[in-house]
Amino acid sequence: MIELKSPSQLERMREAGRIVAKVIEMLKKEVRPGITTAELDEMAGEKIRQEGGKPAFKGYRGFPGNICASVNEEVVHGIPSRRKLKEGDIVGLDVGATVEGYFGDAAVTVAVGQISQEAADLMAVTQAALAEGIAFARPGNRLSDISHAVQRTVESRGYSVVRDFVGHGIGTELHEPPQIPNYGKPGFGPVLKEGMVLAIEPMVNQGGAAVEVLADGWTAVTKDRKLSAHFEHTVAVTESGPEILTRI
Ligand code: MG
């Protein structure tokens, strides 16, 4: 069952989304060579609380961080640590917040100083794939129309979409039905309806699609250790089209 959110529920989800967007905006400015992912994590936790929310990932199935910070070949779920970011790295920052029981979830991949053209291209494709997917989040479309738009954008430019992790519905839980794969034929799955709220999140690899989880039980990395990028927004399906609740 995909829960449809009422206007008053959507109002609360907008607030959660607003906080997530604010935190991401701040983190983007803080990313620089020499800063550690633990420092970013600390700032994010503080900012979320300042804004009246709670970090949604902290303690989720035992996750130790306020945010996920995934560097270079790390795909998602990187644990913030004393690792210092260095010039040329790319870092995926995934932020979740909850306010009055409602969740917001978004991610960006950020350049650390000057990065290679290859890394910049990967980030651009991933962001474009997210935008293409979001454009299909309208009443009357099918869920897999979103999936297909993401996959087509990524693969037509020679990159791979990760299949082991997917987007998700979101609301009073961080992860609600439906699952939203970043691949698939168009025209399948549930018909999208006004009031659905979806976290759409392409994870795109420079090399192959295969990923593996490191011994810490969380950090997903590309099997070939090539770069990966991740962008995500929480999006409400409304009568007038997609509304990005985490717009930065
Ligand atoms: Mg998510």
Side-chain angles (χ1 to χ4, degrees), residues 57 94 105 166-168 174-175 199 201 230 232:
F57 301 161
D94 196 342
D105 185 8
V166 297
H168 50 94
L174 179 58
H175 297 121
E201 51 177 321
H230 178 214
E232 175 179 23

Side-chain angles (χ1 to χ4, degrees), residues 20 23-24 27 31 36-38 40-42 44-45 48 55-60 62-72 74-81 85 90-97 105-110 165 168 174-175 201 203 216-220 230 232:
V20 168
V23 172
I24 287 182
L27 291 176
V31 167
T36 68
T37 53
L40 294 171
D41 182 73
E42 176 101 352
I48 291 170
F57 301 161
K58 187 105 184 170
Y60 182 83
F63 188 76
N66 295 308
I67 63 170
C68 303
S70 309
V71 184
N72 296 336
E74 296 174 357
V75 179
V76 285
H77 306 160
I79 299 172
S81 73
L85 296 176
I90 59 172
V91 58
L93 300 169
D94 196 342
V95 177
D105 185 8
V108 289
T109 301
V110 183
F165 299 98
H168 50 94
L174 179 58
H175 297 121
E201 51 177 321
M203 289 145 266
D216 63 20
W218 282 104
T219 314
H230 178 214
E232 175 179 23

Side-chain angles (χ1 to χ4, degrees), residues 15-211:
E15 177 59 10
R18 182 192 68 78
I19 293 174
V20 168
K22 265 216 135 145
V23 172
I24 287 182
E25 192 183 19
M26 176 201 70
L27 291 176
K28 282 171 82 171
K29 290 182 195 144
E30 295 292 344
V31 167
R32 68 177 75 94
I35 198 165
T36 68
T37 53
E39 287 169 320
L40 294 171
D41 182 73
E42 176 101 352
M43 285 180 216
E46 240 168 66
K47 183 80 172 165
I48 291 170
R49 289 198 178 84
Q50 236 174 51
E51 295 288 333
K54 276 188 235 150
F57 301 161
K58 187 105 184 170
Y60 182 83
R61 295 187 181 166
F63 188 76
N66 295 308
I67 63 170
C68 303
S70 309
V71 184
N72 296 336
E73 76 281 2
E74 296 174 357
V75 179
V76 285
H77 306 160
I79 299 172
S81 73
R82 277 180 279 180
R83 177 182 186 159
K84 278 189 165 110
L85 296 176
K86 56 183 202 309
E87 181 96 19
D89 284 344
I90 59 172
V91 58
L93 300 169
D94 196 342
V95 177
T98 171
V99 185
E100 291 176 39
Y102 286 84
F103 286 83
D105 185 8
V108 289
T109 301
V110 183
V112 183
Q114 200 66 15
I115 61 169
S116 67
Q117 189 61 49
E118 280 183 328
D121 289 346
L122 172 70
M123 285 166 54
V125 166
T126 311
Q127 205 163 10
L130 174 59
E132 291 291 323
I134 289 172
F136 283 86
R138 335 184 131 262
N141 282 346
R142 297 282 192 137
L143 186 69
S144 81
D145 296 340
I146 297 172
S147 309
H148 181 71
V150 171
Q151 181 181 24
R152 192 190 48 208
T153 308
V154 170
E155 292 182 353
S156 67
R157 299 184 207 181
Y159 298 88
S160 319
V161 287
V162 171
R163 290 159 182 261
D164 293 19
F165 299 98
V166 297
H168 50 94
I170 181 167
T172 52
E173 305 281 347
L174 179 58
H175 297 121
E176 295 184 357
Q179 294 199 347
I180 311 171
N182 291 302
Y183 59 91
K185 289 183 187 158
F188 289 88
V191 175
L192 301 182
K193 294 195 178 111
E194 202 183 336
M196 289 181 180
V197 184
L198 309 171
I200 302 172
E201 51 177 321
M203 289 145 266
V204 177
N205 294 351
Q206 197 178 30
V211 302

